[in-house]
């Protein structure tokens, strides 16, 4: 029997993961017997036969991490973070939530390890933001991490702590550098990366979308379905093959905005493409120009992380998962 | 006029740096007007015409970093750390001194920056221990950092914080990954790297030395004189050419133990070499096998960091700096 805790269980990935685990009914090679969703606001509990606890709190509050760990869940997903824009605007809040919160969790597990030998699987979501220019066109698994944002710095530090705590045997950790998630459901948001989703999602719903960059911009994308699959696989995986390197860049599809638009045309026709309004935004163009374009994710592929086949498959998955989203 | 604070001013590098700065009388393009040496025990003040304050304390004690920063030194060298063996034996102490101490310092500078616009040069000593196997024979500036010790993890986190605080404009930082220092003066110590010095230093003084590894072991070395030169240069340097990458691997000489021994033979003859007793130690051999062998330090060379010419030059420098050390 496996018990599981999802910290950040109310977010897009946390909800997708909770749904997938409940539907699947197993994790880490055994039946899933209990799931706890922790977030700052109450998470929606997935439907299904598995008992679910929904808890709210602040991972940075004194004693909170210890309380969460005291039930000794077999698998802990740590997905909670404040996003890059907010971490850049509010330096102290970013370090408090993204660094101190993560360290609180890791220290609480270490303390429980010292008391009882407890040694859970810990899956930590990192980010492509750990990479900073100059970058090669295709980034290999051995390329240096030099973040150029406070968010990326906090994630890179989380990766280092995860690897050291794992090496010392306090827990068995895996850090996942997720691609940019496309197509995010919901409404357009203010994130610089938001247009990668909205130029597909909005026209599919018969709505106008704004494209702030040129069609030659290339980036590294994965579907929400693939991202949830990565999280589930990271809960199941035998980590012995990882050696001392506990953090991995995950497979994605490297496509240009132009290729995204042609994939949209195949599914939804010229009238959908006509809903994309090109309105260059030099600020967004400047941010995007520093982002990775493509990776060689040999290590992740060798470890069995399987991604999307193509941008067409990403669009198809979205339409399947959100029936009625198309106009 | 430049004022300077050396945290860890009592150690081998701190003492060498204090002596070099006092002898030189300038730093960061201006006359050096005051030097503060801070350490856990009273540091020896160098002789010379520059006013020197010697202070003792614990960088981790509440208020201590703020007190040190309150005099707003123009250049701060942060050399203080507990060494790798102790950081590995005592997990909590290592993180407290090497991570929390560094963060306390950086936070104190940020607070003063917020009050007065203070923005000092900060020179931080990192380590080759940020690298972990698998490693190529020659490691380039773009190679990934994956430490396999708690010490290396703490140094790698310090590097990330240094880069982010610099990018945000709280200070103007440089992180230096120093080669293994050879010939360390003094007595043989328990460090795994100690033999790289003792197989030269002890025979030069007519004493026996123990070699725990094979003569084909290759490593990356610099003299204490070169290391002090790097620290001085890092205090002077214009950092604009560094971009977002504030941490650099410094030049060294890549030599085998056999090449070290032949260099000794040239200076001190067969009788000196005969004082080296080969006594293989599988534990030391295992540790050393995970260490870097050589680097391509293009970035550091482009930034004007000049190292030792050869292992012969390292031995010659030692004999010049420690007249009477030879038997």
């Amino acid at each position: 029997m496996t018990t599981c805790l999802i910290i950040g269980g109310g977010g897009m990935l946390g909800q997708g993961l909770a749904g997938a685990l409940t539907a699947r009914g197993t994790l880490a090679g055994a039946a899933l017997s209990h799931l706890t969703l922790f977030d700052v606001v109450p998470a929606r509990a997935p439907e299904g036969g598995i008992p679910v606890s929904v808890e709210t709190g602040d991972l940075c509050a004194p004693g909170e991490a210890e309380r969460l760990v005291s039930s000794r869940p077999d698998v802990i997903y740590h997905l909670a973070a404040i996003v890059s824009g907010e971490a850049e605007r509010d330096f102290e809040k970013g370090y408090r939530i993204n660094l101190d919160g993560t360290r609180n969790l890791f220290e609480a597990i270490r303390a429980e390890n010292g008391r009882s030998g407890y040694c859970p699987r810990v899956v930590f979501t990192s980010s492509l933001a750990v990479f900073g220019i100059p970058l090669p066109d295709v980034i290999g698994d051995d390329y240096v991490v030099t973040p150029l944002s406070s968010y990326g710095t906090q994630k890179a530090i989380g990766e280092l702590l995860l690897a050291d705590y794992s090496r010392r045997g306090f827990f068995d950790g895996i850090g996942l550098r997720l691609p940019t998630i496309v197509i995010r459901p919901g409404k357009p948001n203010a994130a610089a990366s938001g247009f990668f989703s909205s130029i597909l999602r909005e026209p599919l719903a018969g709505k106008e979308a704004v494209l702030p960059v040129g069609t030659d911009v290339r980036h590294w994308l994965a579907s929400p379905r693939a991202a949830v699959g990565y999280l589930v696989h990271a809960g199941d995986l035998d980590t012995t093959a990882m050696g001392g390197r506990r953090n991995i860049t995950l497979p994605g599809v490297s496509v240009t905005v132009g290729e995204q638009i042609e994939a949209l045309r195949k599914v939804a026709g010229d009238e959908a493409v006509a809903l994309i309004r090109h309105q260059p935004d030099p600020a967004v163009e400047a941010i995007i120009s520093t982002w990775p374009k493509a990776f060689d994710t040999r290590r992740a592929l060798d470890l069995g992380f399987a991604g999307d086949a193509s941008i067409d498959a990403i669009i198809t998955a979205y339409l399947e998962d959100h029936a009625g989203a198309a106009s």
Side-chain angles (χ1 to χ4, degrees), chain A:
Chain A
M1 305 288 265
T2 301
T3 57
C4 175
L5 164 65
I6 305 177
I7 299 170
M12 177 188 68
L13 284 180
Q15 286 284 294
L17 175 62
L21 292 178
T22 307
R24 192 172 182 251
T26 62
L27 183 62
L32 183 66
S33 61
H34 190 270
L35 178 64
T36 302
L37 304 181
F38 178 85
D39 212 316
V40 288
V41 294
R44 192 176 53 79
E47 292 168 16
I50 291 161
V52 177
S53 304
V54 173
E55 300 189 10
T56 60
D58 173 4
L59 194 58
C60 297
E64 192 70 348
E66 290 76 4
R67 192 187 63 72
L68 275 173
V69 165
S70 64
S71 65
R72 291 193 268 165
D74 300 303
V75 180
I76 299 178
Y77 288 96
H78 178 31
L79 316 178
I82 67 163
V83 298
S84 58
E86 190 170 5
E88 201 63 19
R89 274 192 304 279
D90 190 336
F91 185 86
E92 291 176 12
K93 185 175 181 185
Y95 275 90
R96 191 172 68 82
I97 307 279
N98 293 349
L99 174 51
D100 296 330
T102 298
R103 204 168 160 204
N104 284 353
L105 173 65
F106 291 0
E107 279 288 277
I109 298 170
R110 185 173 74 85
E112 186 61 37
N113 174 275
R115 280 191 293 271
S116 67
Y118 172 62
C119 188
R121 169 64 45 89
V122 174
V123 181
F124 170 67
T125 45
S126 183
S127 165
L128 301 186
V130 301
F131 294 103
I133 54 169
L135 292 169
D137 283 344
V138 179
I139 303 169
D141 287 321
D142 289 335
Y143 197 73
V144 66
V145 160
T146 55
L148 295 176
S149 64
S150 292
Y151 175 81
T153 301
Q154 292 144 13
K155 287 295 188 186
I157 293 173
E159 288 189 2
L160 286 163
L161 293 171
L162 178 104
D164 198 39
Y165 279 63
S166 295
R167 190 185 60 81
R168 302 287 288 235
F170 302 138
F171 58 68
D172 181 13
I174 305 179
L176 303 179
R177 294 180 195 138
L178 294 171
T180 293
I181 304 299
V182 165
I183 302 170
R184 291 185 82 93
K187 293 184 184 300
N189 65 20
S193 61
F195 72 85
F196 288 114
S197 282
S198 60
I199 61 168
L200 301 176
R201 183 189 59 235
E202 300 304 304
L204 285 171
K207 295 178 190 161
E208 192 175 77
V210 172
L211 172 63
V213 303
T215 54
D216 59 337
V217 163
R218 177 177 288 280
H219 193 42
W220 190 243
L221 310 177
S223 65
R225 194 191 279 188
V228 166
Y230 296 150
L231 292 169
V232 171
H233 185 59
D236 285 346
L237 189 69
D238 179 351
T239 56
T240 51
M242 301 189 82
R245 298 202 175 173
R246 293 296 186 131
N247 300 285
I248 47 176
T249 305
L250 291 174
V253 295
S254 173
V255 291
T256 64
V257 166
E259 288 164 352
Q260 283 191 267
I261 292 172
E262 290 316 305
L264 173 68
R265 193 188 309 274
K266 273 196 273 182
V267 173
D270 291 337
E271 61 271 41
V273 171
L275 290 167
I276 300 173
R277 186 160 49 84
H278 192 202
Q279 186 179 306
D281 182 334
V284 174
E285 283 176 326
I287 294 170
I288 303 291
S289 71
T290 69
W291 288 9
K293 294 179 172 60
F295 293 86
D296 176 359
T297 58
R298 193 173 310 254
R299 287 192 71 227
L301 294 169
D302 286 349
L303 289 165
F305 288 93
D308 304 292
S310 64
I311 183 65
D312 306 82
I314 289 177
I315 295 175
T316 304
Y318 174 78
L319 293 173
E320 287 172 5
D321 291 346
H322 301 270
S327 58

